[in-house]
Amino acid sequence: MVGSEDIGKSLDSGRSAGVSASEAAQALTAILQTQYLRYIIIGSWAIGLLGTVGWVEAIIWFIGTIGAGAIRGKVEKGMAGRVDAGWGLLFPAVATVTTAAWASAPLMAWFSPHPFGHPLAVALLVSGYVLVFAQLRSSPKQAIVISSPYTVAALIIAASLWGGPLFWPFLAILPFTSAGMFVLVTMTMLREERIRAFQEHQAHLIEELQGARDKADAANQAKSNFLGVISHELRTPMNGVLGAAQLLGATRLETTQREYLSIIRNSGDNLLSLLNDILDMTKIEAGKMTFEIIDVSLEDLHRRVTGPFVAQAEAKGLEFRSTFVGETPAVVKGDPLRVCQVLQNLLSNAVKFTDAGVIEFRTESTRINDRRVAFTFSVTDSGSGIAEADLERLFQPFTQADASSTRRFGGTGLGLTIARRMANIMGGDITVTSTVGQGSTFTLVVEADVVEWQAVTEAEAIDAEVGDGESLNILVVEDHPVNRMILEAWLGSAGHATVTAENGQIAVEMAGQQRFDLIIMDVNMPVMDGLSATRLIRTKGPNAETPIAVLSASARNEDHQAGLEAGADAYLNKPIDFAALARLMQKVHGGRTGVRAAAEVAELGETAAAA
């Protein structure tokens, strides 16, 4: 029986035509969520029967009623997805049948021989009616139908008392029971009516608030559009005014005229700055502020941020300090224009509001992972400071810490508002700490993706030209085509003539036919290796005394010595050290002796460096 209230409410026969399928489905969902409560009441009734009808009868009633409840729950669950006007009549019928199982309990107690049977039967009848009407208090018609099994049980008990002294006392129970049900239903309906009226009032208030919100949003949008259009339109004549002022400044003017022109230009610059601030503010409010994500060099960004303010600080007699702390990456992803705009606003305020002392710009970097870094940019000044009460409204638009009519500095109060909102869009924030009479510290915290942690240094170009600019005739012996091409290209860039050979045998044949100024010989090659070719070249021919530099991937000293014993004058490791090769080429005109001396000097230098 517990959980039937919503069935009765949704499927009341008097208004079933107006009940939608969705309402019935919601009612059935509520029943399924609370149906376990009926089993608690069944158990309590079974305990009450134990003392009057005995264990066997009480257990039989308990099992039968539990079974009826389970069947009812299964039917309700099966009908949950297809509740409509046709299926809705099934639920009162099922509830009435299961109530009949409950109504058998007072009959069992009444006809038991136990002296407490009659009081228990009356108590069960009254509690049964209370349960049904309490659950279906908003649908009395449904309650009368579903409680009909209790009415049948009451009639059976009354019939058993017909003609006896207890008949009229039993009937006397009906008036106060009916009165109790009437009060319960009436009070419930009144309370629910008040709740319904309150909910309707709330819905009306919510509707009015939503309308007011929409009107406020529309007004704010209209204001933003107006400011955006006006700021755009005013920029055009302002550019004309400032441009004409610059042209006028290039003409001959008297001292007084030049002063007036200076006033025009300064006022125009201030107005243009104001228009830019208003335009940025409207873009932020409209969600149209664009950010460009590109590679940003921290070194270039630092120069761009601090450059204008170093000179301004010096002009006021202030000391400007700039420090880096932590592991600072070389290149990150970000919008340098917007970051500069935020930081330069903080630096501009620091210089503006500081009359003596120090301006410190600090960049602290914290590595999050290999591809992410957190920056903490702080600007500290030794100015007058800001009172704690003023800090709360510092980032509000059109608000300044000094709002008095005698304030020393102009401005709209938009700068910090724009700076913080830009920082928020970039995923960061701006905070401030200040002590009156000591100064303030503004801090921008933002994260960025790292492109490079270390700056990539450009390789220094190695010149292949010899000292007197003379062109050399060089034989390059290398089996690998890529290495051969690289050597040819490098030597050719300095105007040297090169002849190439793929192995030692071809090199020996070429060396026997043509005189070369230098032979660059690879060691490991097919057909004939470089050391064998070197030995043959040294035996006879026009290149017997030509300097030979052998190339090898081996860096062992014994391999170096083997090359020199074969007749080579220098030994170069792979990958090719073009700087070392260039130094050897400078000594070619000194013959084998000059090349050997250069090679020995280079080897001593490498040994000293290793030590």
Side-chain angles (χ1 to χ4, degrees):
M1 294 192 325
V2 175
S4 301
E5 173 190 359
D6 291 324
I7 288 181
K9 182 188 294 185
S10 301
L11 304 174
D12 190 339
S13 59
R15 53 192 177 113
S16 60
V19 176
S20 66
S22 62
E23 291 175 341
Q26 292 175 358
L28 187 56
T29 300
I31 293 171
L32 296 175
Q33 292 175 343
T34 60
Q35 62 179 340
Y36 68 92
L37 295 176
R38 69 173 65 127
Y39 301 114
I40 297 176
I41 300 176
I42 291 172
S44 66
W45 281 33
I47 294 173
L49 290 174
L50 285 176
T52 56
V53 302
W55 287 89
V56 176
E57 291 82 356
I59 292 175
I60 292 173
W61 178 88
F62 177 76
I63 294 174
T65 309
I66 288 289
I71 294 172
R72 175 182 171 181
K74 187 175 182 180
V75 172
E76 291 171 346
K77 187 175 182 180
M79 295 299 104
R82 42 183 179 168
V83 176
D84 52 31
W87 286 104
L89 299 176
L90 178 63
F91 294 102
V94 172
T96 302
V97 172
T98 55
T99 302
W102 290 66
S104 64
L107 290 176
M108 293 172 61
W110 182 267
F111 292 107
S112 69
H114 199 280
F116 191 69
H118 287 182
L120 179 61
V122 173
L124 292 176
L125 275 176
V126 174
S127 64
Y129 276 112
V130 171
L131 287 173
V132 172
F133 278 87
Q135 295 169 69
L136 302 175
R137 55 189 177 272
S138 61
S139 182
K141 294 180 180 180
Q142 291 285 349
I144 292 173
V145 173
I146 294 175
S147 65
S148 58
Y150 292 111
T151 303
V152 173
L155 291 175
I156 293 174
I157 293 174
S160 68
L161 294 175
W162 178 259
L166 297 179
F167 177 76
W168 292 109
F170 177 77
L171 291 182
I173 299 173
L174 296 179
F176 75 80
T177 302
S178 300
M181 298 302 100
F182 175 77
V183 171
L184 174 64
V185 171
T186 302
M187 295 298 294
T188 300
M189 293 179 68
L190 291 174
R191 183 174 68 252
E192 291 183 351
E193 184 63 29
R194 287 196 297 268
I195 293 174
R196 190 178 301 110
F198 177 73
Q199 289 174 341
E200 291 176 356
H201 180 63
Q202 273 190 323
H204 179 67
L205 290 177
I206 291 173
E207 185 177 353
E208 288 185 346
L209 289 173
Q210 288 175 341
R213 180 202 61 194
D214 294 340
K215 290 180 181 179
D217 290 343
N220 186 58
Q221 183 65 33
K223 179 263 297 179
S224 297
N225 292 338
F226 172 76
L227 290 176
V229 171
I230 289 299
S231 60
H232 270 297
E233 293 299 326
L234 289 179
R235 286 172 64 88
T236 300
M238 278 308 304
N239 288 332
V241 171
L242 294 176
Q246 290 180 8
L247 293 176
L248 185 60
T251 63
R252 288 187 176 183
L253 297 175
E254 297 178 359
T255 303
T256 303
Q257 292 173 330
R258 193 165 296 280
E259 290 178 356
Y260 292 160
L261 179 62
S262 176
I263 294 173
I264 293 174
R265 293 189 60 177
N266 291 335
S267 299
D269 290 336
N270 291 335
L271 183 56
L272 187 61
S273 177
L274 172 60
L275 292 176
N276 290 335
D277 285 347
I278 293 176
L279 183 59
D280 285 340
M281 197 68 183
T282 55
K283 285 182 178 180
I284 291 174
E285 289 182 347
K288 296 180 180 179
M289 177 64 73
T290 57
F291 286 80
E292 182 182 17
I293 306 301
I294 61 174
D295 290 353
V296 182
S297 168
L298 261 295
E299 185 178 353
D300 294 341
L301 179 67
H302 182 265
R303 284 198 299 266
R304 185 173 175 180
V305 169
T306 60
F309 302 101
V310 174
Q312 291 182 23
E314 290 178 354
K316 291 187 66 174
L318 303 175
E319 180 183 356
F320 191 97
R321 299 175 185 169
S322 181
T323 57
F324 286 88
V325 178
E327 189 175 2
T328 304
V331 181
V332 297
K333 289 283 187 181
D335 188 333
L337 176 63
R338 301 304 181 189
V339 174
C340 281
Q341 187 174 352
V342 173
L343 293 176
Q344 286 182 346
N345 180 273
L346 302 182
L347 285 169
S348 175
N349 287 339
V351 174
K352 181 193 298 185
F353 295 105
T354 304
D355 295 327
V358 178
I359 304 294
E360 182 176 0
F361 178 63
R362 175 186 171 98
T363 302
E364 183 175 350
S365 309
T366 304
R367 180 194 284 258
I368 299 175
N369 52 49
D370 290 342
R371 308 306 303 170
R372 194 76 174 165
V373 64
F375 289 111
T376 301
F377 300 99
S378 60
V379 177
T380 303
D381 63 66
S382 57
S384 58
I386 305 170
E388 185 175 354
D390 294 329
L391 290 176
E392 299 178 359
R393 57 189 181 90
L394 194 60
F395 293 96
Q396 296 178 6
F398 303 103
T399 302
Q400 290 190 330
D402 181 9
S404 65
S405 59
T406 59
R407 58 191 176 98
R408 297 168 52 199
F409 305 101
T412 62
L414 282 176
L416 286 176
T417 303
I418 295 173
R420 169 172 270 185
R421 295 193 182 183
M422 282 187 176
N424 295 153
I425 295 174
M426 291 186 290
D429 195 14
I430 295 178
T431 58
V432 56
T433 59
S434 183
T435 302
V436 176
Q438 297 183 13
S440 307
T441 298
F442 287 82
T443 302
L444 167 65
V445 178
V446 69
E447 294 183 6
D449 292 328
V450 177
V451 178
E452 295 174 358
W453 284 101
Q454 299 293 333
V456 178
T457 56
E458 295 184 1
E460 183 181 354
I462 301 173
D463 190 3
E465 293 184 359
V466 295
D468 55 4
E470 183 182 352
S471 175
L472 299 179
N473 189 18
I474 302 174
L475 172 61
V476 176
V477 188
E478 169 66 64
D479 65 316
H480 198 287
V482 174
N483 292 341
R484 205 163 53 240
M485 178 191 67
I486 292 173
L487 280 168
E488 280 186 283
W490 183 71
L491 294 169
S493 66
H496 300 298
T498 58
V499 178
T500 61
E502 299 177 3
N503 56 61
Q505 183 174 339
I506 297 175
V508 171
E509 294 174 357
M510 288 183 173
Q513 299 172 3
Q514 181 181 351
R515 171 76 169 77
F516 296 102
D517 297 314
L518 175 66
I519 298 175
I520 301 174
M521 180 78 69
D522 187 20
V523 172
N524 298 312
M525 294 181 294
V527 182
M528 180 183 292
D529 63 85
L531 298 185
S532 299
T534 299
R535 294 188 186 98
L536 290 176
I537 291 173
R538 288 291 182 232
T539 57
K540 61 180 180 178
N543 293 289
E545 296 298 321
T546 298
I548 299 177
V550 294
L551 300 174
S552 177
S554 175
R556 298 188 306 168
N557 290 331
E558 50 267 34
D559 293 331
H560 288 201
Q561 189 62 35
L564 297 177
E565 291 175 354
D569 302 297
Y571 197 105
L572 299 176
N573 292 324
K574 288 185 178 181
I576 301 171
D577 185 352
F578 287 102
L581 180 56
R583 288 193 294 269
L584 291 178
M585 292 171 60
Q586 298 291 333
K587 303 297 182 181
V588 165
H589 290 301
R592 296 183 62 188
T593 303
V595 171
R596 280 180 175 270
E600 290 175 358
V601 171
E603 187 172 355
L604 288 174
E606 292 179 0
T607 304

